[in-house]
Structures are given as C-alpha cells and as structure tokens.
Amino acid sequence: MPTPTDSVIRAWNRLHRWPAGTWLFSRLLGVMVPYTGTIGAHIRELAPGYCRATLRDRRKVRQHLGSVHAVALVNLGEVTSGLAMYMALPPGVRGIVTRLSAEYFKKARGLLTAEARVTVPVVTEPVEHAVEARIADASGEMVCRVSAVWRLESRREGPGAQ
C-alpha cells in the first residue's frame, strides 16, 4: 500500500522535468501538506538526500518589522529537510520529526534559498537522526539554520501495521 511519502515522491518524479513542473509540484505539495503550502515555497531540486527550495520575500510571509517571519523560516527549513529525508529513506523505514529548532543570524529579506543534505543511517532499531537545513539570502549569507530531529524506525509488516 503506497504511503503519503510515496505519493510525494511519485509526484516529483512525474512533474519536475516538465516546463513549470517544479512550480506545479510545489503547489501540489501545498495541497498534500496544507500547512507547508501556506508559505508558498518553490521546490527547485529534489534527489535522495538532497533538497533545495526557494521562498520569495512578499507581504504574506513578512512580520511587522518588514522581514520574513521567523515561523515562515522554520516552515521553509522543515519542508526542505523533510523532503531531503523522505527522498533518502530506504524501503521499510519510516520517520517522523520529534524536535525542531532554529537559529537566526540576520534579518531575512529578498529571495531566500534553503538547502538540506542527509545521509540516512542503517536502521535496525528506532534511532534519532538530525537533519539540518541552511537558509541563505540572495548574497549567500546564512539567515537561519533549522535542525529537525527525526525518529526513524522499520515499518512493521502484517496485520495491524501502520
């Protein structure tokens, strides 16, 4: 039985090669994961263990001081790190975020780019694994680092498995 993760991966594999395919995938992701869709991030690259996404600076994601809101940055970091992780998970392993933290280095303005890289450990028993997403502004300066800690475990087989 396909998982929601399988649906996301299948959608990327089907759409990303087409003109405007990454934009369409990003909108579809927002439908599949509604809260993620609230910031309007654009998934630019996605491969096993890697994700690059961008976020345009616009009124919808700003706070009252004129820069991108801290929670929008966390949302961008979480989706970027999460997609990198999901693309790298081997068959039979599932994961869920158990902790999320962020460090902010400067005001986030202009086009922002988030990148995450992950290597999944061998999972023979439940394990926690940290994934980091770095968010930089157009000049390449890091504005925020988001860390997501994942609990990884083997999927159970047979009746009652989730």
Side-chain angles (χ1 to χ4, degrees):
M1 174 182 223
T3 66
T5 303
D6 296 332
S7 299
V8 169
I9 293 169
R10 198 169 41 253
W12 174 261
N13 290 336
R14 189 173 293 155
L15 296 172
H16 81 276
R17 291 186 223 62
W18 294 92
T22 61
W23 177 87
L24 184 57
F25 170 81
S26 300
R27 301 295 72 77
L28 181 60
L29 181 65
V31 171
M32 297 167 93
V33 188
Y35 185 74
T36 294
T38 62
I39 60 169
H42 187 152
I43 309 305
R44 301 293 182 156
E45 290 182 64
L46 193 53
Y50 179 75
C51 181
R52 183 173 62 88
T54 57
L55 179 66
R56 288 185 307 112
D57 180 353
R58 59 199 191 288
R59 187 176 193 286
K60 182 178 180 177
V61 295
R62 284 187 163 205
Q63 33 77 325
H64 64 290
L65 301 173
S67 58
V68 176
H69 196 284
V71 176
L73 294 172
V74 170
N75 189 331
L76 177 63
E78 191 273 338
V79 71
T80 304
S81 65
L83 286 171
M85 174 62 86
Y86 278 133
M87 291 295 287
L89 286 178
V93 174
R94 65 180 174 184
I96 188 167
V97 174
T98 59
R99 285 193 307 268
L100 197 56
S101 63
E103 293 178 87
Y104 304 97
F105 302 103
K106 64 179 278 195
K107 287 184 179 182
R109 293 192 171 129
L111 182 68
L112 303 174
T113 301
E115 285 188 285
R117 295 179 193 279
V118 61
T119 301
V120 178
V122 174
V123 179
T124 57
E125 61 184 338
V127 63
E128 289 196 345
H129 187 67
V131 180
E132 186 176 277
R134 294 172 173 258
I135 303 170
D137 61 17
S139 71
E141 288 189 63
M142 188 164 36
V143 297
C144 181
R145 180 173 45 228
V146 176
S147 178
V149 176
W150 286 73
R151 178 180 171 84
L152 303 174
E153 60 185 39
S154 296
R155 290 186 183 131
R156 289 177 280 155
E157 301 296 330
Q162 296 178 349

